[in-house]
Structure formats: structure tokens, C-alpha cells
């Protein structure tokens, strides 16, 4: 594959000068697709010409062509061209090369509309005007891209490798369309694991969908793995892609494989689900990391506001990170559980933020709560760092299921595979590590629960109840205690206040208090009324509140302030400045892990953890929020004791000695 990639990429030498590096992809990618299609069609040109000449309707041509070209290794060609041209034949008339190529591309069947996404006709004319068309065409005409020379899987690797190179050379989010094959194979193995025996059954038919399909790499690996298990199995591939170039590559790739081209659709998955009425056996996705959704904010919020069974009804993450929107979408696309108990499974690659971002009651927490309370998360696997081409951050595989086995219902499995990476001999962008086939098997065994737990090399696995990640945030209040004294300083603060300072006679009323201190707000308010009356002043309720807030000073010896009106009249008033919160885990102290156990658990926690330190505090149950967080790294944290002081001192002495030696050399 590296040979093919290098040879295809070498056409960049021809483009250098008239084209900038950022423009290479717009030329090389469509020519690569065209040459691949040409090589696939080559053995069937005669049959293709006969069928095109015999039938006029698209459907008739497609049906008869597939039948005529079907073989043990191929479902038959579902596309054709009415043009007699090939790259070789087009080159034989150099004066009309551009027109010949446009005729060639324009003759493809209607289901092969990918060259419109490449704007290939304009690419051809531009190459011609810049005197590079013949050289580029000749370069691609020499490449053997037949299925015998380049398998479908290798072709997918080639496309994604080229896209990675173009993006990297243009500094344009290198690698965002490229999921490393080791990650894809692991993800596919995980979602197939519990279904392996059924996949070997005769007549097996499955559907798989990728909402961020890119060039279709995940779908290709999933299909090939199914055929490894069962050569007679059938897999319907579906995908949606926002980028027109990668959409075009994916559609061409699926056409070559005999898949229905209408199963690949272009569009922003977060704005519109192009397969709204469909659910799938398997869903795979590697959404872009750390991208915002500002451009589609109104559409997403409108869908969320509709509620019901909408994709985003459970909650919305911050606008700065769309990862959890893709998580919700993936979960919504799993097929419903049928009468046999078979449902859908999904695998999605995410960074670390969906595990813990957002406090109780926030959008991200609500989304986690939906996933856990609906029992959709089967496992989360932490991957080694430096696994991807465009980032070295920590990444995780989420395995979802709406039909867990009985022994896994209500549970979630965390697997720490961070230590199972193998160093690459040569890094590719940010990718310095890969998961070997052996380590992939070890992770799948850990997921399946078939590894030997006594083995020192066993992959670390921990199993939790879904509610182990739930907690309540309870609000702890303390009483408001204020001392009131009309000193020159406090009166001066009132005169400088933007509203109180404008009330004539207020200063005189306050000066009438003298220097007496009041430790009871009600008593102070009564005296205030008298002094205001003496000045002929009447303050509104809001003005009175602003006044005592300006004059009051916290004092632990003062009486508790109490609510003066409303249904809570007479209750102790809380001090906002002393307000605090406590996170109380579900099941704390052996209490039931249920929502109904809130007050029982919260009060017990309060009595044990809060009351001994602040005996006048209480819980305001009306402010309680339920939260969900998955502190993955905390559960696998291994304590490493600090180095001995003697070792540190020895290192310092050694470094000081080296510095002194260098200084002596400089002075000499």
C-alpha cells in the first residue's frame, strides 16, 4: 500500500508550481477514483457495451449488467459508462484530451454522480489551461488499480492515506477523515463479539451504518470481517458524510463493491438524519474530536426543544464540543429489540470529555444520565495515547447495546487498555502507537469476560452498576446572621450607592441611630421605620432590602434572620455567601441505589459528613440536582510513592557538579 500511495502522491511533482499544496487533493483524488473505476470495468467492457446498446432504462441496464458480471468474488457491476474512452484512448488525441476526458466522465451511469462532488469537469479544464492535463493523465494511466492488484480494503487505505497527506500538507485538520485501521478492527471485533455465532449462520443478513462515514473505511473493515466469519453472509452498508470529496470517494467505493449507492448520502448528520426512518444492526462512528456546533446551533436546539423521541431530547452539551450530540445520534440509530431479544449494537470513538464534563443538571450530565438509566452503555475502553493521526489526547471506545445479555443488564464494564499500545517504527502525524493483533485479541477477551483473571498480563477490567456513577448534588444552607450599625463608614457607603444616595433625608434618618449596634434584623427594621417616619420618608420593599444589605455585616453572635413574608414566613433565612453543595453518591452508606432514596441517603450523609463541622446547617431539598459522572482514570489510578529525599539530594548534587564543571570550562 505504501508503494501505491507513494506512486499516486508523486504526481504532486507535476502539479508543483501551477498548484499550491492545498490544491493537490482536488486533482489527485478524482483521478484516483476514475482510474480505480476504469480498472474495475476493464474486464467487462464488452458486456457493458452490449447491455448499454440493448437496453435504454437505467434499472434494466443495472439489473442485466449485474447478472452478466456476477462471480464468486463479486456481486456484479452496478454502474457503467456509455463512453468508449479510457485514459489510454483519451491520450491518443492530445489536442482534444480535455474534451475526451469530459466525455468519458459524463458517460457514467446516473448512480455514479461522484464526479460532480469533485467538480471534476472544472478540474480537467483548469489542468488543461495550466498545461498539466496530459502529464497527470499519463501518470494515472500507468497505475494498475485492478482488484487483483489492490484489494477493496487496500483501496480504502489508499484513499484515506491520500486524504491524510493532503490535509496535512494544507495544514487543514490532518487526519480528521482517517480512522486508523487498528482502531477500526478493534471496534468491529467488539461489536461483533456477542453476535459471532449468529453471524456464522447460513443466510445471515446484517445492516451497518456510519453517520460520519468519511471514505467508508469503517464500513469496509466491518464487511470484510463479516465475510471472514461467514463468506455467504450479506451486509448492507449505509453512511452519511458532510464533506463532498470524502462522500464521493465513499460512494464510488461502495458502488465498486456492489452496494446500493443510495445508501450513502451527503449532509450534516447533526442537522438532518438522512436515514430518519431506518435503524440498524450495527452503528459505528468516529466523529471529529473537539469540534463545535455553532454553525448548526439553531437546528440542534430546535430539535431538542421538540422533545419526545427526538435524538437530542435528553440534553445538549456545550456549543464548544459536539461529541455528545454524535453519541446521542448513534444511540438513536440502533435497531429496536425484536421478539427474539436481538437488538442493535454500536461503537463510537470519543475523547475523555463525555465521561465527566458538566456538573449535575447540566446538558452533558443529563445525556450521561439518559445513557446509563436507559442501560445503553455496555463497555468503555480506554485506548493508549497517540493512537490517532491528528491528536495525541486520551481516547475511548464506547460500546452501546439496547439488548444486553442478562448477566450484563444494569452494569457497565470499564477496560483499561492504555498499556497495550505498540510503538510504531515511524510515527505518522501524531500517531506513534498502534494496537497489535495480539493486543486486540486480549482486549476482546477482556470485554467478553473470557480472559484468565489470574494472569499477570490480563487487561484491567472493572464492572460497575449503572447507578454507581449517579450522585445527588445537595445544597447546604447556613443561617444569615447580621449586625447593623450606622457608623460614619456605613452611612458613607449608602450615600455613594447609585440609588440610595439619591434619596433625600435618608442620611439624616440613619444618623439618628447613633452608634448603637443591632443584632436582630427585625428590631433594626422597626427602628428604621421610626427614623424614616421622622424624616417623612417611605421606602419601597426593594429599597429597604438594598439598605439593610448595605448596612448589614456578618456576625456569628447576631440573631438568625428570618423570612418575613410568604408561605415560609418565620423560617430561618439562608446566607447566600455561606451556601455550599455536597455530592452524595447513590448508595452511600449502604443505602439503596434508587432515586427514591434521596432524602434517606442525603440526610444520613449530611449527619455524618457535614453536621459535625457546621451544626447550624441544613439541606435545601428544593435545590437538589441529580448528576452522572464516569471518573474512569480514578478507578484505575495506581499510587506511586514519591522518590526518597536521599535520591533527590544525590541527583541535585550530581547536577550542581556538572554545572560547576561547565562553568570552570567556560572560565578557562
Amino acid at each position: 500500500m505504501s508503494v501505491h500511495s507513494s506512486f499516486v502522491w508523486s504526481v504532486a511533482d507535476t502539479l508543483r508550481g501551477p498548484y499550491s499544496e492545498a490544491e493537490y487533493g482536488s486533482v489527485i483524488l478524482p483521478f484516483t477514483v476514475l482510474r480505480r473505476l476504469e480498472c474495475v470495468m476493464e474486464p467487462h467492457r464488452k458486456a457493458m457495451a452490449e447491455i448499454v446498446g440493448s437496453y435504454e432504462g437505467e434499472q434494466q441496464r443495472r439489473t442485466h449488467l449485474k447478472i452478466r458480471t456476477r462471480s464468486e468474488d463479486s456481486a456484479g457491476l452496478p454502474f457503467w459508462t456509455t463512453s468508449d474512452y479510457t485514459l489510454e484512448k483519451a491520450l491518443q488525441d492530445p489536442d482534444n484530451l480535455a474534451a475526451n476526458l469530459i466525455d468519458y466522465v459524463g458517460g457514467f451511469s446516473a448512480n455514479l454522480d461522484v464526479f460532480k462532488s469533485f467538480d471534476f469537469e472544472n478540474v480537467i479544464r483548469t489542468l488543461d489551461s495550466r498545461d498539466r492535463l496530459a502529464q497527470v493523465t499519463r501518470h494515472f494511466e500507468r497505475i494498475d488499480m485492478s482488484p487483483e492488484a489492490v484489494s477493496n480494503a487496500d483501496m480504502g487505505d489508499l484513499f484515506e492515506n491520500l486524504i491524510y497527506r493532503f490535509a496535512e500538507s494544507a495544514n487543514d485538520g490532518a487526519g480528521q477523515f482517517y480512522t486508523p485501521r487498528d482502531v477500526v478492527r478493534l471496534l468491529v471485533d467488539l461489536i461483533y463479539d456477542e453476535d459471532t455465532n449468529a453471524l456464522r449462520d447460513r443466510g445471515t443478513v446484517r445492516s451497518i451504518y456510519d453517520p460520519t462515514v468519511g471514505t467508508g473505511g469503517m464500513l469496509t473493515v466491518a464487511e470484510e470481517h463479516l465475510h471472514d466469519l461467514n463468506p455467504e453472509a450479506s451486509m448492507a452498508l449505509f453512511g452519511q458524510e458532510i464533506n463532498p470529496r470524502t462522500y464521493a470517494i465513499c460512494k464510488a467505493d461502495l458502488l465498486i463493491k456492489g452496494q446500493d449507492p443510495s445508501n450513502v448520502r451527503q449532509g450534516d448528520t447533526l442537522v438532518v438524519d438522512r436515514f430518519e426512518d431506518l435503524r440498524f444492526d450495527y452503528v459505528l462512528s468516529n466523529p471529529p474530536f473537539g469540534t463545535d456546533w455553532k454553525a448548526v446551533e439553531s437546528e440542534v436546539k430546535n430539535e431538542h426543544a421538540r422533545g419526545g423521541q427526538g435524538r437530542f431530547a435528553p440534553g445538549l452539551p456545550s456549543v464548544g464540543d459536539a461529541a455528545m450530540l454524535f453519541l446521542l445520534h448513534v444511540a438513536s440509530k440502533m435497531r429496536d429489540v425484536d421478539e427474539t431479544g436481538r437488538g442493535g449494537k454500536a461503537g463510537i470513538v470519543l475523547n475523555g470529555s463525555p465521561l465527566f464534563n458538566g456538573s449535575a443538571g447540566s446538558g452533558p450530565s443529563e445525556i450521561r444520565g439518559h445513557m446509563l438509566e436507559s442501560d445503553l452503555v455496555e463497555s468503555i475502553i480506554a485506548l493508549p495515547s497517540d493512537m490517532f493521526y491528528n491528536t495525541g489526547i486520551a481516547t475511548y471506545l464506547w460500546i452501546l447495546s439496547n439488548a444486553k445479555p442478562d448477566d450484563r443488564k444494569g452494569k457497565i464494564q470499564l477496560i483499561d487498555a492504555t498499556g497495550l499500545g505498540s510503538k510504531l517504527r515511524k510515527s505518522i502525524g501524531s500517531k506513534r502507537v498502534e494496537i497489535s493483533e495480539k493486543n486486540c485479541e486480549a482486549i476482546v477477551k477482556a470485554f467478553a469476560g473470557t480472559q484468565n483473571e489470574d494472569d499477570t498480563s490480563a487487561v484491567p477490567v472493572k464492572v460497575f452498576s449503572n447507578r454507581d456513577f449517579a450522585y445527588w448534588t445537595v445544597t447546604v444552607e447556613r443561617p444569615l446572621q447580621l449586625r447593623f450599625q450606622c457608623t460614619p463608614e456605613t452611612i458613607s457607603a449608602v450615600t455613594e450607592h447609585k440609588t440610595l444616595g439619591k434619596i433625600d433625608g435618608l442620611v439624616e434618618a440613619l444618623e439618628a441611630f447613633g452608634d448603637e449596634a443591632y443584632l436582630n434584623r427585625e428590631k433594626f427594621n422597626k427602628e428604621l421605620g421610626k427614623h424614616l417616619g421622622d424624616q417623612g420618608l417611605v421606602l419601597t420593599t426593594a429599597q429597604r432590602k438594598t439598605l439593610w444589605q448595605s448596612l448589614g455585616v456578618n456576625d456569628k453572635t447576631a440573631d438568625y434572620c428570618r423570612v418575613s413574608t410568604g408561605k415560609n414566613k418565620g423560617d430561618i433565612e439562608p446566607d447566600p455567601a455561606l451556601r455550599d453543595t455536597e455530592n452524595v453518591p447513590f448508595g452511600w452508606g449502604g443505602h439503596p441505589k434508587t432515586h427514591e432514596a434521596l432524602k434517606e441517603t442525603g440526610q444520613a450523609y449530611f449527619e455524618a459528613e457535614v453536621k459535625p463541622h457546621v451544626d447550624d446547617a441544613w439541606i435545601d431539598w428544593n435545590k437538589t440536582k441529580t448528576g452522572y459522572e464516569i471518573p474512569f482514570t480514578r478507578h484505575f489510578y495506581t499510587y506511586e510513592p514519591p522518590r526518597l529525599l536521599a535520591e533527590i539530594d544525590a541527583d541535585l548534587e550530581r547536577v550542581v557538579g556538572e554545572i560547576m564543571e561547565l562553568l570552570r570550562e567556560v572560565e578557562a
Side-chain angles (χ1 to χ4, degrees):
M1 183 42 53
S2 60
V3 173
H4 278 91
S5 178
S6 297
F7 188 58
V8 171
W9 174 255
S10 65
V11 76
D13 294 333
T14 301
L15 301 174
R16 191 168 290 114
Y19 285 85
S20 66
E21 285 190 43
E23 296 176 296
Y24 292 170
S26 64
V27 175
I28 294 176
L29 286 172
F31 265 100
T32 305
V33 171
L34 180 59
R35 180 56 180 161
R36 173 64 168 183
L37 293 172
E38 181 172 282
C39 290
V40 170
M41 291 188 299
E42 182 59 33
H44 310 294
R45 279 280 187 165
K46 183 178 179 182
M48 189 184 300
E50 291 175 359
I51 289 169
V52 167
S54 303
Y55 304 96
E56 293 186 1
E58 286 267 330
Q59 187 58 52
Q60 286 181 307
R61 288 176 175 177
R62 188 176 303 117
T63 300
H64 287 276
L65 183 60
K66 288 189 74 171
I67 293 172
R68 283 279 296 275
T69 57
R70 187 173 294 157
S71 67
E72 290 184 4
D73 301 324
S74 171
L77 279 185
F79 64 91
W80 62 90
T81 180
T82 57
S83 174
D84 293 330
Y85 282 110
T86 62
L87 294 183
E88 181 183 16
K89 188 174 180 180
L91 283 163
Q92 292 171 3
D93 182 11
D95 293 337
N96 296 299
L97 179 57
N100 296 343
L101 290 175
I102 290 171
D103 178 85
Y104 184 12
V105 172
F108 278 107
S109 51
N111 60 347
L112 193 65
D113 60 348
V114 298
F115 293 106
K116 292 180 182 177
S117 296
F118 285 121
D119 193 17
F120 195 32
E121 185 174 329
N122 186 50
V123 169
I124 292 170
R125 295 187 189 282
T126 304
L127 274 169
D128 193 33
S129 68
R130 296 180 183 179
D131 248 357
R132 292 294 186 274
L133 182 59
Q135 293 168 274
V136 170
T137 305
R138 197 172 295 112
H139 181 95
F140 278 95
E141 190 271 330
R142 294 197 300 265
I143 306 175
D144 182 6
M145 286 190 182
S146 65
E148 292 74 26
V150 187
S151 70
N152 286 333
D154 286 343
M155 200 68 212
D157 287 345
L158 171 61
F159 281 134
E160 293 199 345
N161 185 264
L162 289 173
I163 287 174
Y164 170 75
R165 290 196 188 199
F166 298 139
E168 185 180 47
S169 65
N171 193 27
D172 184 26
Q176 65 175 312
F177 308 111
Y178 194 179
T179 307
R181 281 297 179 266
D182 53 332
V183 176
V184 179
R185 291 184 180 108
L186 173 58
L187 198 55
V188 170
D189 283 346
L190 290 167
I191 67 166
Y192 279 1
D193 178 68
E194 291 166 1
D195 206 16
T196 299
N197 291 332
L199 292 176
R200 291 193 174 101
D201 291 344
R202 188 172 182 178
T204 294
V205 178
R206 292 289 188 272
S207 61
I208 189 164
Y209 163 70
D210 185 346
T212 52
V213 72
T215 61
M218 281 191 170
L219 299 183
T220 297
V221 173
E223 183 184 36
E224 290 192 340
H225 189 19
L226 176 62
H227 287 158
D228 288 342
L229 293 170
N230 183 354
E232 297 182 3
S234 176
M235 177 73 85
L237 309 182
F238 297 80
Q240 183 168 336
E241 173 59 26
I242 188 173
N243 183 281
R245 289 198 301 183
T246 47
Y247 155 77
I249 290 173
C250 181
K251 188 166 185 176
D253 190 40
L254 263 61
L255 265 169
I256 291 168
K257 295 172 185 171
Q259 291 283 336
D260 183 347
S262 67
N263 289 353
V264 181
R265 301 174 188 177
Q266 189 177 1
D268 189 333
T269 302
L270 299 182
V271 174
V272 57
D273 178 5
R274 299 289 186 193
F275 302 94
E276 185 174 5
D277 298 327
L278 296 180
R279 301 292 180 271
F280 306 94
D281 294 299
Y282 305 109
V283 184
L284 293 173
S285 181
N286 175 24
F289 293 157
T291 58
D292 63 57
W293 46 284
K294 292 177 183 176
V296 298
E297 185 174 357
S298 61
E299 292 91 341
V300 170
K301 287 185 174 179
N302 287 340
E303 183 169 347
H304 168 69
R306 290 199 298 269
Q309 299 302 311
R311 297 177 297 170
F312 309 133
L316 294 178
S318 67
V319 177
D321 190 355
M324 297 190 84
L325 293 178
F326 285 107
L327 177 63
L328 285 173
H329 175 74
V330 164
S332 74
K333 299 305 290 181
M334 293 187 290
R335 57 163 286 173
D336 295 332
V337 182
D338 61 22
E339 63 279 0
T340 68
R342 184 166 70 88
K345 294 205 71 169
I348 181 170
V349 185
L350 296 171
N351 59 19
S353 63
L355 294 168
F356 54 79
N357 62 344
S359 56
S362 68
S365 178
E366 292 295 293
I367 294 171
R368 278 191 297 273
H370 166 73
M371 300 297 293
L372 293 170
E373 294 288 355
S374 302
D375 201 19
L376 295 175
V377 185
E378 185 166 6
S379 184
I380 300 176
I381 299 98
L383 297 178
S385 298
D386 303 323
M387 285 289 297
F388 288 80
Y389 300 95
N390 60 332
T391 180
I393 64 173
T395 49
Y396 299 81
L397 304 182
W398 288 54
I399 307 301
L400 311 180
S401 173
N402 59 8
K404 292 183 183 179
D406 289 341
D407 62 339
R408 295 197 175 200
K409 287 180 178 176
K411 298 177 183 177
I412 178 172
Q413 180 192 57
L414 303 186
I415 300 175
D416 182 13
T418 54
L420 272 66
S422 303
K423 289 278 187 181
L424 289 173
R425 290 171 56 190
K426 182 181 179 182
S427 62
I428 309 173
S430 297
K431 183 173 176 64
R432 300 177 180 85
V433 170
E434 67 175 354
I435 294 179
S436 66
E437 187 174 337
K438 178 182 177 182
N439 286 340
C440 179
E441 291 176 2
I443 295 169
V444 174
K445 283 184 177 180
F447 171 75
T450 58
Q451 69 174 349
N452 183 357
E453 300 296 340
D454 296 329
D455 187 348
T456 55
S457 62
V459 183
V461 180
K462 294 187 178 182
V463 178
F464 299 89
S465 159
N466 289 338
R467 293 267 174 84
D468 286 340
F469 303 114
Y471 65 93
W472 295 287
T473 294
V474 296
T475 300
V476 177
E477 301 283 15
R478 295 176 64 186
L480 179 63
Q481 296 172 272
L482 297 175
R483 171 173 53 82
F484 300 90
Q485 190 172 13
C486 296
T487 64
E489 291 79 12
T490 57
I491 293 175
S492 176
V494 170
T495 60
E496 294 174 4
H497 192 276
K498 61 181 181 180
T499 57
L500 297 179
K502 298 176 182 179
I503 301 174
D504 293 334
L506 181 57
V507 171
E508 290 76 8
L510 296 179
E511 288 176 341
F513 276 92
D515 58 0
E516 182 179 354
Y518 293 81
L519 298 179
N520 184 285
R521 187 176 64 182
E522 285 69 26
K523 184 177 179 181
F524 171 76
N525 273 328
K526 287 180 181 179
E527 292 299 314
L528 176 63
K530 293 178 183 178
H531 292 301
L532 290 174
D534 292 343
Q535 296 296 322
L537 290 175
V538 177
L539 299 184
T540 65
T541 302
Q543 288 174 330
R544 276 195 176 237
K545 182 176 180 180
T546 302
L547 180 59
W548 64 253
Q549 286 177 335
S550 300
L551 295 172
V553 177
N554 285 94
D555 189 331
K556 290 298 292 180
T557 65
D559 295 339
Y560 294 157
C561 296
R562 295 184 179 273
V563 180
S564 58
T565 59
K567 64 178 181 179
N568 297 323
K569 183 177 180 180
D571 289 352
I572 297 174
E573 188 172 330
D575 186 345
L578 299 178
R579 183 173 293 143
D580 202 356
T581 58
E582 293 283 337
N583 289 339
V584 182
F586 274 46
W588 182 88
H591 293 274
K593 295 178 184 178
T594 63
H595 291 274
E596 294 72 24
L598 163 60
K599 290 197 174 181
E600 174 188 342
T601 312
Q603 192 62 43
Y605 178 94
F606 175 78
E607 297 293 339
E609 302 291 339
V610 179
K611 196 74 172 175
H613 307 289
V614 280
D615 61 357
D616 57 357
W618 71 93
I619 294 176
D620 184 346
W621 297 105
N622 294 322
K623 293 188 176 75
T624 302
K625 295 178 181 179
T626 305
Y628 300 84
E629 180 183 356
I630 305 174
F632 195 105
T633 53
R634 187 194 309 165
H635 289 297
F636 291 97
Y637 172 74
T638 302
Y639 173 73
E640 293 183 7
R643 296 171 62 199
L644 296 174
L645 287 175
E647 292 180 8
I648 298 173
D649 287 341
D651 279 351
L652 287 173
E653 289 180 10
R654 176 180 56 78
V655 172
V656 169
E658 291 174 356
I659 293 172
M660 295 304 297
E661 184 64 31
L662 290 171
L663 287 173
R664 282 192 288 270
E665 290 179 8
V666 171
E667 290 173 353

